[in-house]
Amino acid sequence: MDTTEFDVIVIGGGPAGENAASYAVAGSERTAAIVERELVGGECSYWACIPSKALLRPWHVLGGARAMPGVRADGLDVAAVLRRRDEFVHNHDDSSQADWAHDNGIEVVRGAGRLAGERLVEVDGRTLRARQAVVLATGTTANIPDVPGLRAALPWISRDVTNLTEVPRRVLIVGGGVVACEAATWLAALGSVVTMAVRGGSLLGRVEPFARDRIAEALTERGVRIRFGTEPVRVARPDVRGTGEGRVHGGPVTVTVRDGSGESELEADEIVVAAGRGPATWELGLEAVGLAPGYVEVDDQLTVPGLPWLYAVGDVNHRVALTHMGKYQARICGDVIAARAEGRPLTGPRYAASADHAQVPQVVYTDPELAAVGLTEESARKAGHQVDTVELDIAVAGSALARDDYAGRAKLVIDTSAGTLLGATFVGPEVGEQLHAATIAVVGQVPLDTLWHAVPAFPAVSEFWLRLLEAWRA
């Protein structure tokens, strides 16, 4: 076997892996390698965050234009929308990402990496040795429920629906989380008749109730049929032909679903499974270092307990399944690796992940958008905080000027004992751009009396912060 040594070896070349490698060697003579079995840039760049937002943004722009007198807005050019999506994913060409790695002194090793022992990684018959650290950044893969006939029917997963080349006439989406809601938004915008089969009683189950209700109402208004308390029990697609990865179909799928009234059949041209994700560790060789298959547990320095040379960042450690939080963990992980390599003490907040416990920001790019950070009222009370809340419509001069049909709502969750913000949730057009102020307030534990002196510009939408603080002080 050809053995090659690096200071740091990262298995998985998505955003988390890229950041971990970059931060671990920045400004030093250390060497790093990224082992990637698919495309450098990972799931987010080619099959998730980037293509999905490229599909959603034209609809958001169209909605704003239609709500602005004096602006002509005729509709979406579907072919142009798909072309722009393809440009953002570089037509699945990762050469620019590989060039970035090379320019930063990081070697890209193509192939499937697996642990082979302490600081050892095998890649298709080649053995790599890490002098300092191995970082696992393999992410997750889509779950497909064990429903009779489902796999045989060639369902779409998130990768397929973000990379569609033709818009199906009828789509059944199984699930009610972020992927399901965003996909329902762009599919309906592009002209599909969309039905959602949601096992529970609401969409987006972990967010504030008012927010998930508004998303459901908006989807329904746009023609999406949401069937709560519904799950598939059988799937049939008789015209699948071919074998292996070459299988194709030429016709509709029939899905038998069960709800409180019994069983019924739904027919669709495509079925999209958005039923959660599982760790991509099935061939990672965890057993070679004494770990059980599944998610990889880490401490706040992103180190695997008992294995001080092994780290895990991003979705694979099951702390928070969000790209920006994986990148956050990776920055800390890289700094920890660098400090340990140089014999520096791990003192100070930069060497311990804390924001991925109860300070997580997230935007759901539906229409309207949903933006939230920190704890909901329910989770704050369960955590034992003394809680007060303030909630009101976003209705200020800036929102009225932004678009004639502006409708939004905001809620703050406040720790009354400390007078600080525990969480915030906003729903409305482009509220994702309002979230970072709330994130700073939550992470910085800024007293609300201090926020009173953070004056919003006029006439900006952000003036709703003043109205929230006024309501709380009243």
Side-chain angles (χ1 to χ4, degrees):
M1 289 187 179
D2 175 25
T3 302
T4 305
E5 287 197 347
F6 299 89
D7 290 296
V8 181
I9 300 171
V10 180
I11 306 178
E18 290 175 323
N19 275 267
S22 176
Y23 274 68
V25 302
S28 75
E29 298 299 318
R30 288 184 293 278
T31 59
I34 288 176
V35 180
E36 176 52 55
R37 63 191 302 163
E38 293 185 300
L39 298 176
V40 180
E43 191 82 12
C44 177
S45 298
Y46 303 100
W47 298 287
C49 321
I50 298 301
S52 67
K53 304 316 169 279
L55 291 170
L56 287 160
R57 183 59 182 164
W59 174 250
H60 291 175
V61 172
L62 179 62
R66 285 175 169 170
M68 184 61 61
V71 177
R72 292 190 179 93
D74 297 329
L76 297 180
D77 180 334
V78 174
V81 170
L82 298 183
R83 282 197 302 272
R84 183 172 184 267
R85 183 270 322 270
D86 292 341
E87 291 170 1
F88 270 96
V89 301
H90 302 285
N91 293 295
H92 291 184
D93 176 359
D94 70 350
S95 57
S96 63
Q97 296 287 95
D99 289 344
W100 168 88
H102 179 268
D103 292 344
N104 283 272
I106 301 166
E107 182 171 331
V108 175
V109 179
R110 303 284 184 174
R114 60 181 286 115
L115 296 169
E118 184 172 336
R119 296 185 175 87
L120 295 178
V121 176
E122 288 185 354
V123 187
D124 299 340
R126 176 186 179 190
T127 299
L128 309 180
R129 183 186 303 276
R131 287 184 286 267
Q132 299 290 338
V134 175
V135 182
L136 307 179
T138 52
T140 56
T141 56
N143 292 331
I144 299 180
D146 189 19
V147 175
L150 179 56
R151 289 182 181 273
L154 305 182
W156 281 4
I157 58 174
S158 56
R159 284 189 165 203
D160 303 297
V161 73
T162 58
N163 282 270
L164 80 175
T165 57
E166 295 182 2
V167 180
R169 186 171 63 88
R170 301 164 301 172
V171 179
L172 173 64
I173 300 176
V174 178
V178 174
V179 171
C181 291
E182 290 188 347
T185 300
W186 81 66
L187 285 167
L190 294 175
S192 294
V193 176
V194 179
T195 301
M196 300 178 71
V198 183
R199 183 172 58 181
S202 69
L203 303 177
L204 304 167
R206 296 184 179 180
V207 305
E208 294 283 4
F210 83 89
R212 63 192 187 216
D213 289 347
R214 287 214 171 190
I215 300 304
E217 290 167 4
L219 286 170
T220 301
E221 289 171 0
R222 288 169 176 80
V224 176
R225 184 185 181 195
I226 306 174
R227 294 186 54 165
F228 292 114
T230 302
E231 56 185 341
V233 293
R234 288 185 301 281
V235 180
R237 179 173 251 159
D239 62 344
V240 175
R241 55 190 180 276
T243 59
E245 294 184 359
R247 290 185 302 160
V248 296
H249 70 80
V253 58
T254 300
V255 183
T256 303
V257 297
R258 180 186 297 126
D259 59 18
S261 302
E263 294 186 358
S264 59
E265 288 188 350
L266 298 173
E267 189 174 86
D269 298 294
E270 296 293 350
I271 177 171
V272 177
V273 178
R277 301 180 67 84
T281 56
W282 63 92
E283 295 178 344
L284 194 53
L286 295 177
E287 65 282 356
V289 295
L291 297 177
Y295 289 106
V296 180
E297 180 186 352
V298 294
D299 59 24
D300 284 349
Q301 292 171 333
L302 290 311
T303 311
V304 178
L307 300 171
W309 55 273
L310 186 62
Y311 301 76
V313 296
D315 294 8
V316 74
N317 66 30
H318 209 217
R319 285 165 72 110
V320 182
L322 293 167
T323 295
H324 49 277
M325 298 310 295
K327 292 167 68 174
Y328 160 75
Q329 293 173 359
R331 295 192 293 270
I332 292 170
C333 173
D335 281 347
V336 169
I337 292 170
R340 285 174 171 164
E342 297 167 11
R344 292 185 279 111
L346 300 179
T347 56
R350 67 178 291 176
Y351 298 113
S354 58
D356 54 4
H357 292 300
Q359 300 169 337
V360 177
Q362 181 178 13
V363 180
V364 183
Y365 291 90
T366 45
D367 181 21
E369 288 182 356
L370 189 162
V373 62
L375 300 177
T376 62
E377 178 180 357
E378 179 182 4
S379 60
R381 294 189 189 280
K382 285 183 178 179
H385 294 283
Q386 298 179 36
V387 172
D388 192 10
T389 65
V390 58
E391 180 179 337
L392 48 74
D393 287 337
I394 300 175
V396 293
S399 60
L401 287 165
R403 51 192 292 170
D404 278 8
D405 66 347
Y406 195 103
R409 193 160 180 83
K411 179 175 180 177
L412 302 182
V413 179
I414 300 155
D415 184 338
T416 56
S417 62
T420 56
L421 198 61
L422 292 169
T425 299
F426 311 141
V427 176
E430 301 188 10
V431 291
E433 298 300 329
Q434 302 291 334
L435 185 62
H436 197 54
T439 302
I440 292 170
V442 170
V443 173
Q445 298 181 343
V446 181
L448 266 68
D449 283 343
T450 300
L451 286 180
W452 182 256
H453 299 283
V455 182
F458 182 86
V461 177
S462 58
E463 193 182 16
F464 76 85
W465 275 95
L466 176 58
R467 303 296 169 237
L468 285 166
L469 294 173
E470 287 174 338
W472 181 64
R473 287 164 61 104

